[in-house]
Amino acid sequence: MYTESIENYLKTIFEIQKETEKVTTNSISEKLGVAPASVTSMMKKLSEKKLITHKRYQGVKLTGPGQKIALEVIRHHRLVELYLAEALGVPWDQVHDEAEKWEHVLSEDLEDRMDKALGYPTRDPHGSPIPSRDGTLIELESIPLVELQPGQSGVIAEVSDHDPDLLRYVGKMGLYPMTRVEVLSVEPFSGPITIKVEDSSHILGSQAAQYVFVTDVEPGRSELT
Amino acid sequence: MYTESIENYLKTIFEIQKETEKVTTNSISEKLGVAPASVTSMMKKLSEKKLITHKRYQGVKLTGPGQKIALEVIRHHRLVELYLAEALGVPWDQVHDEAEKWEHVLSEDLEDRMDKALGYPTRDPHGSPIPSRDGTLIELESIPLVELQPGQSGVIAEVSDHDPDLLRYVGKMGLYPMTRVEVLSVEPFSGPITIKVEDSSHILGSQAAQYVFVTDVEPGRSELT
DNA sequence: ATCATATTTTAGGCATGACTAAAAATAGTG
DNA sequence: CACTATTTTTAGTCATGCCTAAAATATGAT
Ligand SMILES: [Mn+2]
Ligand SMILES: [Mn+2]
Ligand SMILES: [Mn+2]
Ligand SMILES: [Mn+2]
């Protein structure tokens, strides 16, 4: 077993790797809230353990074993998030912080028990895919809601779980995964958009709409002509 | 919040305090599996934080605040044990080790949710009382099963959870809390005893019978004459 | 290509919580 | 009461994981 610190570093590197091509010392430093110098010294340790490769001044990359561990931590995290939401009714804006601690103390036995109790789920409460036991992660293709044209609709695939306030905000309009949402209008100059969710309409800031991802996009009536 | 290490020390001191009068450096060292010197330096730190009082060479005692924290950790531990057993079907010989880790990462909110989900229980799977939120612990009076005379019966109050093997062993004969058990015979010289549990009889070593505690003791037929 | 700026690494430190070995205090025995 | 054995404390060390300040390297604009 690795330390909580190492698990957090590997998970963070994996998450940055998913978004940007190069994983820099600075990006890890920011995401993890530690000083850049601390990251460098941890990178040295992870290199020695063959969990990452690190070329001085050139960024890092997970090795096979490193990625395996990262995916296991993420699996724990997302399973716990879903379990807390489903079994204990924890609101979806609170599950992330709890899971951040639990992911490191979840035994394989309990992982399996939760998995079973939840019916072998594939998505966490925010729509993110849960890696399978053997470390396979199936990303769903989705685009930010803010990119939809007026008249278009899509099904919420995923909502970023990085900010509890955002989750509460979009949750109040019913913007949960699997829900269909239609864009009624889009204000220019990155203005707010008007959306329809379950027969009621709301105004959504473009910032927030950056963090809501949809799939299954269908053209609206206007485009059908 | 205190560190996991501090929480474990306080819990350990509380548990030793319950059994023996004086809490010595050595007893803490043994129960916690750390060197005596390490205990001394931690006692210094706990004294400074006013969580214990410590007279050099004379043992330690929890202060009010120290005991409060100890009871909170124990509450977490026992609630988690019960939750794992009830909600996830974890066998009673495994819940202790899991709870040992979880007790330190359980938020007050989740504590309350588990408490509610379990119907505000008062006993953990081994029969130990669960301290209330405000830090009240009601010990049930009980005696070791090994002290019962032939013909006497009692209701299992508590089984020591320190050894998983013991729990599996006595679990196989149905010796769970709330179960009535009758002592049929007692072999001399600390020999095994014969017991009847739910209409089937078993032989139980006296060592094991030391760790099973009964209450509600009733005299057998022979004594009624 | 040079120079200023940003990024990354090195160097040196600190807190936590362990350890071993040695010294000090206590307790038990004749 | 003295002496030995046990317990406890002190002293010194170490690993982990963080920090700041300074040096090294890379990047990007002129
Ligand atoms: Mn974490
Ligand atoms: Mn999530
Ligand atoms: Mn513990
Ligand atoms: Mn227990």
Side-chain angles (χ1 to χ4, degrees):
Chain A
M1 258 295 117
Y2 292 96
T3 65
E4 176 165 339
S5 199
I6 286 179
E7 289 186 348
N8 281 335
Y9 272 99
L10 292 174
K11 189 180 69 159
T12 301
I13 293 168
F14 183 90
E15 281 164 356
I16 297 171
Q17 217 166 44
K18 211 176 49 190
E19 298 164 0
T20 68
E21 206 40 63
K22 215 162 137 195
V23 181
T24 65
T25 300
N26 252 8
S27 61
I28 299 170
S29 157
E30 276 166 35
K31 193 149 188 177
L32 220 44
V34 299
S38 307
V39 175
T40 301
S41 79
M42 182 56 97
M43 294 308 101
K44 210 173 151 191
K45 188 188 296 181
L46 296 181
S47 287
E48 279 159 14
K49 292 186 191 294
K50 309 276 185 199
L51 298 172
I52 61 167
T53 53
H54 184 205
K55 274 182 250 150
R56 280 178 32 140
Y57 292 97
Q58 298 302 325
V60 300
K61 229 187 119 178
L62 290 174
T63 62
Q67 172 160 318
K68 187 94 190 283
I69 295 162
L71 281 164
E72 202 164 312
V73 178
I74 291 169
R75 173 171 165 82
H76 285 187
H77 183 98
R78 295 183 179 166
L79 265 181
V80 167
E81 278 191 349
L82 188 64
Y83 187 84
L84 293 179
E86 295 281 313
L88 288 167
V90 179
W92 79 332
D93 60 297
Q94 285 174 34
V95 294
H96 181 82
D97 286 347
E98 300 279 359
E100 203 59 47
K101 301 178 295 178
W102 286 42
E103 63 189 10
H104 308 291
V105 297
L106 190 68
S107 69
E108 293 303 292
D109 179 56
L110 280 177
E111 173 191 322
D112 289 341
R113 287 180 189 275
M114 283 189 181
D115 196 21
K116 190 178 173 186
L118 292 166
Y120 308 101
T122 59
R123 307 254 146 200
D124 81 5
H126 316 105
S128 303
I130 299 172
S132 62
R133 272 216 70 160
D134 56 33
T136 320
L137 183 67
I138 301 146
E139 283 289 351
L140 196 66
E141 275 183 45
S142 60
I143 59 170
L145 177 57
V146 76
E147 287 178 14
L148 258 57
Q149 302 300 316
Q152 287 188 308
S153 78
V155 174
I156 313 267
E158 201 168 336
V159 180
S160 169
D161 68 353
H162 77 288
D163 183 3
D165 287 335
L166 175 82
L167 288 172
R168 266 197 304 279
Y169 176 58
V170 305
K172 255 187 290 188
M173 349 188 158
L175 288 177
Y176 293 105
M178 313 294 287
T179 315
R180 184 160 282 276
V181 54
E182 183 185 342
V183 174
L184 300 177
S185 70
V186 178
E187 293 297 315
F189 307 112
S190 300
I193 65 177
T194 319
I195 57 174
K196 196 173 80 178
V197 188
E198 279 165 3
D199 292 321
S200 58
S201 61
H202 305 272
I203 295 169
L204 185 68
S206 70
Q207 286 273 42
Q210 292 266 12
Y211 292 116
V212 177
F213 298 88
V214 295
T215 183
D216 224 356
V217 176
E218 285 181 11
R221 256 167 287 122
S222 54
E223 254 111 328
L224 283 173
T225 56
Chain B
M1 258 296 114
Y2 292 97
T3 65
E4 177 166 338
S5 199
I6 287 180
E7 289 187 349
N8 281 334
Y9 272 100
L10 293 174
K11 190 179 66 158
T12 301
I13 293 168
F14 182 90
E15 282 165 357
I16 297 170
Q17 216 164 44
K18 210 177 46 187
E19 297 163 2
T20 68
E21 207 39 64
K22 214 163 136 195
V23 181
T24 65
T25 301
N26 253 8
S27 61
I28 300 170
S29 157
E30 274 165 36
K31 193 150 186 174
L32 219 45
V34 298
S38 308
V39 175
T40 300
S41 79
M42 181 56 97
M43 294 309 102
K44 210 174 152 191
K45 188 189 295 180
L46 295 181
S47 287
E48 280 160 12
K49 293 186 191 294
K50 310 274 186 203
L51 298 172
I52 62 168
T53 53
H54 184 204
K55 275 181 250 150
R56 278 179 33 138
Y57 293 97
Q58 298 303 324
V60 300
K61 229 187 119 177
L62 290 173
T63 62
Q67 173 160 316
K68 187 95 190 283
I69 295 164
L71 281 164
E72 202 164 312
V73 178
I74 291 168
R75 173 170 165 83
H76 285 187
H77 183 98
R78 295 183 178 166
L79 265 181
V80 167
E81 278 191 349
L82 188 65
Y83 187 83
L84 293 179
E86 295 281 313
L88 288 166
V90 180
W92 80 331
D93 60 299
Q94 286 174 33
V95 294
H96 181 83
D97 287 347
E98 300 279 358
E100 202 59 47
K101 301 178 297 178
W102 286 41
E103 64 191 9
H104 309 290
V105 297
L106 190 67
S107 69
E108 293 303 290
D109 178 57
L110 280 176
E111 174 190 322
D112 288 342
R113 287 179 190 274
M114 283 188 181
D115 196 21
K116 190 177 173 188
L118 293 167
Y120 308 102
T122 59
R123 306 256 149 198
D124 81 5
H126 317 106
S128 302
I130 298 171
S132 64
R133 271 217 70 161
D134 57 33
T136 320
L137 183 66
I138 302 144
E139 284 288 351
L140 196 65
E141 275 184 45
S142 59
I143 58 169
L145 177 57
V146 76
E147 287 178 14
L148 258 58
Q149 301 301 316
Q152 286 189 308
S153 78
V155 174
I156 312 269
E158 202 168 336
V159 180
S160 168
D161 68 352
H162 77 288
D163 183 2
D165 287 335
L166 175 82
L167 289 171
R168 266 197 305 278
Y169 176 58
V170 305
K172 255 187 291 189
M173 348 188 159
L175 287 177
Y176 294 104
M178 313 292 287
T179 314
R180 184 160 281 276
V181 54
E182 184 186 342
V183 174
L184 300 177
S185 70
V186 177
E187 293 296 315
F189 306 113
S190 298
I193 65 177
T194 318
I195 56 174
K196 194 172 81 178
V197 188
E198 278 165 6
D199 291 323
S200 57
S201 61
H202 305 272
I203 295 170
L204 185 68
S206 72
Q207 286 274 40
Q210 291 266 13
Y211 292 117
V212 177
F213 298 88
V214 295
T215 183
D216 224 356
V217 175
E218 286 182 9
R221 255 164 287 125
S222 55
E223 254 109 330
L224 283 173
T225 57

